[in-house]
């Protein structure tokens, strides 16, 4: 805490002195002409006026002034370019001056330049010491408001009640944090008389914000997409989805990406901007899913009888639901074969879709072969297949779900996904 206080105090003191000087200098109007008199602006009066001003300003006292027809000629020696610029600025601002001729010699002497610098440093140090209590008070106000904002931002229970959405709650807490820091800065700058600098700073921040917005456009798009997905969620945790061409089980929705567990057990991270704009197929929304497959028979066989045999074989499986009921049709007929297409439905919340389809294909194939009385399925093979039918498990695979549960336990739940939010 002491290191934190000392670090910010040092930064604040470094900024305070130039800001105060800026506020004082801003009151001067460089365009205001220097009046000579209410009478005629003669060359002699202009010369006397400028020379009188030079005598009272350190660094330009040795400059000689000569005025002819309103044209001022400056000559003599000065220490550096800054002193010469001061002399020219004073001359050009004097009423009645038409033009300024610069014939000043810049000596650039070490003593002439070091002495004013040391004197200025001494004066500034004295000003800083006198202003130190005020600067310290300003810094304490700035720091106090910042700490209050940080304390409020860490009240997660409060923001969860206000926003009812963890992601929006986090955004609101950060906005409040920044608002308190900004309010503290405004009060502190006003206290030390540097409010003019604040307007300049805000103007520059606006231009910089536009430039940064273009630079991080993709990140902003992803951030906004995360907000929209958290408000209107297209899926729930554990839903089996296909996003664009990526298939998997939904693990969580974060502020940057949607995490899927692919069917082969790997993590898949998809940016939320791609999810928000993508095509989403959700298998879990409707648990009933249709499978289909095609088989060929000899063109000499009766396709209607083959369909009846295949339908009977499909209905022997309990996992094939009766409503909607299974169906079949003749797909194509050629000289070499007749293609039959079979359809059936399973509850994928209870049944592994791929295993169920495979089991039905094998059973229907065996039934058609037996009805055709071909050696494709010998009697010994039939008995073996029948035994496999009794032990083959087509229940839903729980391994992926176990991996997902472990992942959530380690990473903090399902993120922004909320069962109470509306689903599109």
């Amino acid at each position: 805490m002491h290191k934190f206080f000392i670090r910010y105090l040092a930064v604040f003191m470094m900024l305070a002195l130039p800001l105060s000087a800026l506020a004082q200098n801003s009151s001067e109007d460089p365009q205001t002409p220097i009046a000579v008199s209410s009478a005629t602006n003669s060359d002699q009066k202009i010369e006397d006026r400028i020379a009188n001003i030079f005598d009272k300003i350190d660094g330009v006292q040795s400059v000689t002034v000569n005025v002819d027809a309103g044209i001022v000629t400056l000559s003599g020696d000065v220490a550096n370019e800054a002193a010469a610029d001061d002399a020219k600025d004073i001359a050009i601002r004097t009423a009645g001056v038409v033009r300024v001729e610069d014939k000043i010699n810049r000596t650039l002497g070490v003593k002439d330049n070091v002495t004013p610098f040391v004197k200025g440093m001494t004066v500034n140090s004295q000003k800083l010491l006198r202003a130190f209590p005020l600067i310290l008070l300003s810094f304490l106000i700035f720091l106090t408001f910042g700490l209050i904002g940080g304390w409020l931002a860490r009240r997660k229970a409060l923001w969860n009640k206000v926003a009812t959405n963890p992601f929006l709650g986090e955004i609101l807490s950060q906005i409040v944090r920044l608002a308190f820091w900004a309010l503290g800065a405004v009060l502190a700058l006003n206290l030390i008389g540097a409010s003019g600098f604040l307007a300049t700073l805000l103007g520059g921040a606006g231009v910089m914000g536009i430039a940064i917005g273009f630079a991080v456009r993709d990140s902003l798009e992803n951030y906004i997409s995360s907000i929209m997905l958290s408000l209107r969620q297209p899926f729930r945790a554990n839903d089996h989805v296909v996003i664009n061409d990526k298939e998997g089980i939904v693990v969580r929705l974060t502020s940057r990406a949607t995490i899927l567990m692919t069917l082969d057990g790997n993590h898949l991270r998809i940016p939320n901007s791609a999810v928000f704009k993508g095509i989403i197929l959700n298998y879990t929304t409707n648990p009933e899913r249709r499978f289909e497959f095609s088989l060929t028979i000899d063109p000499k066989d009766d396709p209607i009888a083959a369909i009846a045999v295949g339908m009977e074989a499909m209905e022997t499986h309990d996992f094939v639901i009766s409503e909607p009921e299974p169906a079949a049709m003749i797909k194509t007929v050629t000289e070499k074969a007749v293609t039959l297409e079979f359809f059936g439905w399973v509850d994928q919340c209870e049944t592994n879709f791929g295993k169920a389809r495979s089991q039905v294909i094998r059973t229907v194939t065996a039934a058609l072969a037996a009805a055709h009385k071909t050696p494709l399925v010998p009697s010994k093979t039939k008995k073996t297949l029948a035994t496999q039918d009794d032990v083959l498990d087509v229940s839903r695979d729980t391994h992926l779900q176990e991996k997902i549960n472990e992942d959530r336990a380690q990473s903090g739940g399902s993120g922004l996904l909320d069962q109470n939010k509306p689903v599109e």
Side-chain angles (χ1 to χ4, degrees):
M1 181 65 185
H2 295 291
K3 293 182 179 180
F4 175 82
F5 180 85
I6 293 173
R7 181 176 57 191
Y8 278 93
L9 179 60
V11 174
F12 198 86
M13 292 176 61
M14 292 173 65
L15 293 175
L17 185 60
L19 291 177
S20 302
L22 177 62
Q24 294 174 0
N25 294 334
S26 62
S27 61
E28 299 180 359
D29 185 3
Q31 302 302 322
T32 303
I34 302 174
V36 175
S37 69
S38 59
T40 307
N41 296 329
S42 64
D43 290 346
Q44 186 60 45
K45 290 183 177 181
I46 295 174
E47 183 176 319
D48 292 343
R49 176 62 172 155
I50 297 175
N52 186 41
I53 295 174
F54 283 175
D55 287 340
K56 294 178 173 57
I57 299 177
D58 292 337
V60 297
Q61 295 171 339
S62 61
V63 176
T64 303
V65 184
N66 185 25
V67 182
D68 184 12
I71 300 175
V72 179
T73 302
L74 302 178
S75 59
D77 297 334
V78 296
N80 48 48
E81 187 67 31
D85 290 340
D86 288 342
K88 290 189 294 181
D89 181 63
I90 294 171
I92 198 64
R93 290 170 54 196
T94 305
V97 174
V98 177
R99 182 174 177 178
V100 176
E101 294 288 341
D102 181 9
K103 295 184 179 180
I104 300 174
N105 178 38
R106 286 78 165 168
T107 61
L108 302 178
V110 175
K111 181 179 179 181
D112 293 338
N113 285 278
V114 172
T115 301
F117 174 76
V118 173
K119 184 183 294 184
M121 289 292 294
T122 303
V123 173
N124 289 336
S125 299
Q126 293 173 351
K127 290 181 178 179
L128 181 60
L129 289 176
R130 289 196 301 269
F132 181 78
L134 185 61
I135 295 173
L136 180 60
L137 179 60
S138 300
F139 175 75
L140 290 176
I141 292 175
F142 172 71
L143 183 61
T144 300
F145 273 82
L147 293 177
I148 293 174
W151 181 83
L152 287 175
R154 290 191 295 271
R155 305 303 99 186
K156 293 185 178 180
L158 172 64
W159 300 115
N160 289 337
K161 289 181 180 179
V162 172
T164 69
N165 183 293
F167 189 40
L168 292 180
E170 180 67 21
I171 294 175
L172 289 177
S173 67
Q174 295 305 319
I175 291 175
V176 168
R177 184 196 299 269
L178 292 176
F180 269 82
W181 280 109
L183 180 59
V186 170
L187 295 177
L189 290 174
N190 281 326
L191 185 60
I192 62 175
S195 57
F197 174 74
L198 183 62
T200 304
L201 183 64
L202 291 177
V207 175
M208 185 177 296
I210 295 175
I212 293 175
F214 280 104
V216 297
R217 181 177 54 187
D218 293 340
S219 298
L220 289 175
E221 180 184 7
N222 194 62
Y223 199 72
I224 294 173
S225 298
S226 301
I227 296 176
M228 299 302 295
L229 288 173
S230 66
L231 294 176
R232 301 285 299 183
Q233 300 175 358
F235 39 69
R236 301 291 195 195
N238 296 326
D239 279 4
H240 182 183
V241 298
V242 179
I243 302 176
N244 294 325
D245 58 342
K246 308 300 182 183
E247 182 175 1
I249 309 299
V250 177
V251 178
R252 72 175 57 84
L253 173 66
T254 70
S255 60
R256 294 185 178 183
T258 298
I259 310 301
L260 302 183
M261 180 78 73
T262 62
L263 301 185
D264 54 1
N266 294 319
H267 273 71
L268 178 64
R269 181 182 182 276
I270 306 176
N272 283 335
S273 57
V275 176
F276 184 70
K277 296 184 295 184
I279 299 173
I280 301 175
L281 174 61
N282 193 328
Y283 288 120
T284 308
T285 302
N286 180 12
E288 297 176 353
R289 184 176 177 184
R290 192 186 77 169
F291 64 86
E292 59 185 67
F293 60 92
S294 299
L295 295 175
T296 58
I297 62 173
D298 194 288
K300 297 178 181 179
D301 292 338
D302 183 0
I304 302 302
I307 288 176
V309 171
M311 293 286 293
E312 184 179 356
M314 290 175 63
E315 293 172 353
T316 60
H317 295 287
D318 294 336
F319 56 80
V320 178
I321 61 180
S322 57
E323 185 62 36
E325 62 183 11
M329 67 179 184
I330 301 174
K331 186 175 183 180
T332 59
V333 178
T334 64
E335 295 181 356
K336 296 183 179 181
V338 175
T339 301
L340 305 179
E341 190 162 14
F342 294 88
F343 306 91
W345 293 80
V346 296
D347 185 345
Q348 57 184 347
C349 293
E350 304 293 336
T351 306
N352 184 292
F353 178 81
K355 290 181 179 180
R357 180 177 179 275
S358 175
Q359 178 74 335
V360 171
I361 292 174
R362 192 171 59 83
T363 304
V364 173
T365 302
L368 290 177
H372 186 59
K373 297 181 180 179
T374 65
L376 293 177
V377 185
S379 56
K380 180 183 291 188
T381 307
K382 285 183 181 180
K383 185 175 181 180
T384 304
L385 290 175
T387 303
Q388 290 178 354
D389 287 342
D390 295 334
V391 299
L392 184 58
D393 182 14
V394 296
S395 60
R396 185 178 179 184
D397 190 357
T398 61
H399 179 65
L400 276 179
Q401 188 59 51
E402 292 173 358
K403 294 186 65 175
I404 292 172
N405 292 339
E406 292 176 0
D407 185 278
R408 288 204 185 101
Q410 296 174 358
S411 305
S414 56
L416 302 177
L417 295 175
D418 187 351
Q419 297 293 336
N420 298 322
K421 292 297 181 183
V423 177
E424 292 186 339

